[in-house]
Amino acid sequence: MILFSEFKAKYRTTALTFISFYEVNYTYNRELLVDYFGCVFDLLRSLIKRHISPKSLDRLDIVQEVMKDGTLLDALFDYDDMDKGLSRHLSVICCKLKNLIDDEKI
């Protein structure tokens, strides 16, 4: 139960940080988000490793590698091109995260 509480707290912190970087232009910090996502993935892996197949764990590792790279995050937080590319999806992602936080689901 302690591990789950730690995961939930870190996930919430990561979501709030993500939203903050969206709401306050030019505050995006790649290293911070990569670190936060890394912690979230490590905690998630610890929580689920006994309950899913090795193949599913491999899939989680693939997603973690993409987030660790930071290229996807850089594309999302391209402040100079917010209406094009991946950045145009950032408002929807943040809106959904806010709803989850407001509903106390994270």
Side-chain angles (χ1 to χ4, degrees):
M1 193 63 166
I2 293 171
L3 186 59
F4 179 73
S5 296
E6 188 179 345
F7 167 77
K8 188 174 179 182
K10 192 60 164 182
Y11 187 79
R12 182 179 173 85
T13 299
T14 303
L16 289 169
T17 302
F18 193 92
I19 292 166
S20 174
F21 289 157
Y22 167 70
E23 290 179 339
V24 183
N25 284 347
Y26 301 99
T27 58
Y28 165 64
N29 183 322
R30 176 187 194 169
E31 291 78 25
L32 182 65
L33 271 184
V34 166
D35 182 53
Y36 278 10
F37 277 116
C39 290
V40 167
F41 277 108
D42 291 342
L43 290 166
L44 178 61
R45 187 177 229 293
S46 297
L47 280 169
I48 64 174
K49 66 183 173 188
R50 292 184 302 268
H51 306 286
I52 63 174
S53 70
K55 188 174 183 178
S56 293
L57 283 173
D58 289 344
R59 290 182 184 123
L60 179 64
D61 291 341
I62 291 168
V63 174
Q64 183 176 14
E65 287 301 314
V66 169
M67 298 309 286
K68 270 200 229 178
D69 176 70
T71 304
L72 175 63
L73 293 171
D74 290 344
L76 280 170
F77 287 96
D78 183 1
Y79 294 112
D80 297 326
D81 201 15
M82 287 306 260
D83 296 327
K84 299 177 184 168
L86 289 177
S87 296
R88 70 180 190 270
H89 301 292
L90 195 55
S91 63
V92 174
I93 294 168
C94 288
C95 181
K96 298 295 183 182
L97 284 173
K98 282 182 186 180
N99 289 342
L100 289 170
I101 290 168
D102 291 344
D103 294 343
E104 296 183 8
K105 293 185 178 177
I106 55 173

